[in-house]
Amino acid sequence: MDIQRLVDAYIIGLGDNADNSSLRQTLINRAYLYNTDNIVKGDMSLLELVQALGSYLASEEAGRRSKGAHVLSDVLTELPESAIPAQATTRLVQFFCARLSDATCVPHVLASISALQRLSSFTDQCSVDVLRALFKEVHVQSFQHSTRSTAYKLLDQIIQSHPQVAKMMGDDTVLGFAQMLDGEKDPRSLMIAFQIIPKLAKLVDIKNNADDIFDVVFCYFPITFKNREGDPSSISPELLKSSLRAAITCSAHFGEMAIKPLVEKTTATSQSVKIDAYETLTAATQTYSPEVFASEMEVLIEQIREDVVMASDEKVVNAALDTLEAVYSVVSPAAPLTSSAAGQTPEIDETTTSLDYVLKDAIFQLTAEEVKNSDQVGKLLLAAARSSAYNCNVVSDAVLPIVVERLGSTEVLTLRRELMDVLNYVLSA
């Protein structure tokens, strides 16, 4: 059976929803044999396949064009790399890029390009052509999930295998991706998209377009969904949360836009939202500047103190304390290396006030007639002290004299027990 008759039979099968596996395998086998036996003849066999599909691909009927693209996609996605001649790759990429302007063919064209992208003969120029066509011609959100997912995966694959292309295209890559993501709702596609953002932030200077990326990403925070039981393709809610967190905190350029809404989320009534906000703030200390945190420090510490004192949920308390320690580690100064190397105690700067948000309340509690919430006060002081050697000295110098003096002047057992609780926390730092 010649190629034209094979193609016609395959197209008829697509229209009838018939099992085309036998015909598909025949096409694949013939292409494979031609290509491995003779490179030149093999190149022609792929061209012959395109020529045999010509009347379908050039048809004015959208359905016929889609079926023609479907046949090419089915063959290319199944062929091994050795079966596709290197000289055919560029021509096929150019052909498929031109087809991305035809919305009817886009699902199958993206699948075909993805198959070609895995080839060693898929060059940097091929990557440039594909990305430009993808960003210009394809309105990703107008397609079903499977096509959107293929588009995200294709972009991710190009970023990983041709990072220099994404870097060279710079702002075009960032804005193109933001346009792709805007409006996405499917968790499976979001997972891929969230994982792309840190890779982009490492490759491209996103400063000029940070707000574009931030706007289309932060709108998902906090993200909640229930995975479908028994569905092997379903993703973990926690994995989706952590991927979004990594995306939000991957660049210092997001800091000024993210800090205030993140701090506001710590006041949420939902415990899961509180924890998510605290864990994201903790992660952000690795990338956001100290100045960003300093701008919201008083509000944040007040909320942390409230959550710790209320102690309504242990997970919330632990998350809040982790955030306190992490934030103080970047906002407050560290011990000078020269002093620590000499075994000396670092000098305390009396003008430093960032620790005052914790210390003032702790000192008020410790000097009151009755020490209330001694366990919670101790945990707050411990977290602050652990943040750096400098902060440990500040906390110790502020608290220990008060505790020791009161222990020596009172015989009230309950008060002594409360003071000892605080003392043990501070000393354990």
Side-chain angles (χ1 to χ4, degrees):
M1 186 181 295
D2 63 27
I3 291 180
Q4 188 63 60
R5 292 177 62 189
L6 274 173
V7 166
D8 292 340
Y10 200 104
I11 294 287
I12 292 172
L14 290 175
D16 296 338
N17 292 320
D19 182 2
N20 267 348
S21 56
S22 178
L23 287 172
R24 178 169 62 251
Q25 194 59 52
T26 300
L27 279 172
I28 292 168
N29 287 342
R30 290 188 63 175
Y32 179 73
L33 290 173
Y34 290 156
N35 284 315
T36 53
D37 285 347
N38 188 311
I39 290 296
V40 176
K41 189 176 181 181
D43 188 17
M44 288 299 297
S45 73
L46 287 174
L47 293 179
E48 286 170 1
L49 176 59
V50 175
Q51 290 168 357
L53 289 166
S55 62
Y56 297 98
L57 295 171
S59 173
E60 293 184 359
E61 297 180 18
R64 285 173 62 84
R65 296 198 306 275
S66 177
K67 290 174 183 176
H70 195 160
V71 175
L72 265 180
S73 172
D74 283 354
V75 173
L76 284 174
T77 53
E78 293 291 335
L79 280 175
E81 179 174 353
S82 60
I84 303 177
Q87 61 265 42
T89 303
T90 299
R91 275 177 278 180
L92 286 169
V93 167
Q94 293 171 345
F95 171 79
F96 286 125
C97 284
R99 290 285 162 180
L100 284 176
S101 60
D102 185 351
T104 302
C105 297
V106 164
H108 305 301
V109 169
L110 287 177
S112 297
I113 294 174
S114 295
L116 293 172
Q117 193 277 329
R118 75 179 191 269
L119 306 178
S120 58
S121 54
F122 190 90
T123 63
D124 284 351
Q125 187 57 52
C126 289
S127 298
V128 171
D129 294 341
V130 168
L131 291 185
R132 285 178 176 167
L134 176 63
F135 296 150
K136 179 182 178 181
E137 304 293 351
V138 182
H139 179 33
V140 173
Q141 291 305 313
S142 66
F143 293 94
Q144 294 183 347
H145 162 257
S146 58
T147 302
R148 302 198 308 273
S149 179
T150 301
Y152 293 127
K153 289 177 181 178
L154 176 59
L155 174 59
D156 189 32
Q157 290 163 357
I158 290 177
I159 288 173
Q160 293 187 67
S161 58
H162 299 269
Q164 62 277 13
V165 169
K167 185 175 182 179
M168 181 270 295
M169 291 182 64
D171 290 348
D172 290 340
T173 306
V174 176
L175 292 174
F177 170 71
Q179 178 180 291
M180 289 174 63
L181 178 58
D182 191 13
E184 182 58 62
K185 296 180 180 179
D186 191 281
R188 294 163 294 180
S189 291
L190 288 173
M191 175 72 79
I192 303 170
F194 293 160
Q195 293 171 345
I196 288 174
I197 295 171
K199 299 172 187 175
L200 270 183
K202 287 183 179 180
L203 286 173
V204 181
D205 183 359
I206 66 171
K207 180 178 180 180
N208 294 334
N209 304 292
D211 54 342
D212 294 289
I213 291 291
F214 182 80
D215 288 344
V216 297
V217 174
F218 196 82
C219 62
Y220 295 102
F221 186 89
I223 194 165
T224 56
F225 86 104
K226 293 183 179 180
N227 55 349
R228 293 168 291 187
E229 294 183 6
D231 183 359
S233 67
S234 182
I235 60 177
S236 161
E238 287 305 316
L239 185 57
L240 187 61
K241 278 186 180 182
S242 62
S243 296
L244 175 57
R245 183 177 303 131
I248 291 172
T249 62
C250 71
S251 172
H253 296 304
F254 295 154
E256 290 186 4
M257 295 176 283
I259 188 66
K260 189 175 183 66
L262 282 175
V263 171
E264 288 176 351
K265 293 296 183 183
T266 64
T267 67
T269 57
S270 167
Q271 293 180 347
S272 64
V273 172
K274 274 183 177 290
I275 293 171
D276 202 359
Y278 279 131
E279 290 180 347
T280 303
L281 284 165
T282 300
T285 60
Q286 300 299 312
T287 49
Y288 294 178
S289 69
E291 292 76 17
V292 164
F293 286 99
S295 66
E296 294 293 323
M297 197 68 173
E298 184 173 4
V299 177
L300 176 59
I301 300 304
E302 179 60 33
Q303 184 58 44
I304 289 174
R305 183 164 56 239
E306 180 179 323
D307 284 330
V308 172
V309 171
M310 294 295 291
S312 59
D313 182 270
E314 185 178 357
K315 292 181 179 179
V316 171
V317 171
N318 290 337
L321 290 171
D322 287 343
T323 299
L324 180 68
E325 180 177 344
V327 171
Y328 268 135
S329 71
V330 297
V331 171
S332 294
L337 294 177
T338 53
S339 296
S340 59
Q344 301 171 359
T345 300
E347 295 182 3
I348 296 174
D349 182 359
E350 296 295 339
T351 64
T352 300
T353 59
S354 60
L355 286 169
D356 286 350
Y357 301 127
V358 168
L359 290 178
K360 285 182 178 179
D361 182 72
I363 292 172
F364 175 79
Q365 295 288 345
L366 293 173
T367 56
E369 183 176 344
E370 180 183 354
V371 178
K372 297 180 180 179
N373 305 313
S374 59
D375 185 65
Q376 290 83 357
V377 170
K379 288 178 179 178
L380 289 165
L381 291 171
L382 173 61
R386 279 181 172 176
S387 60
S388 73
Y390 179 92
N391 290 342
C392 185
N393 279 281
V394 173
V395 171
S396 298
D397 287 356
V399 172
L400 292 183
I402 296 173
V403 173
V404 172
E405 189 277 329
R406 293 209 67 185
L407 283 172
S409 62
T410 182
E411 297 295 332
V412 180
L413 292 180
T414 55
L415 179 56
R416 291 180 64 84
R417 183 169 60 248
E418 290 163 349
L419 291 168
M420 286 300 300
D421 286 343
V422 174
L423 179 63
N424 287 332
Y425 276 116
V426 174
L427 292 177
S428 66

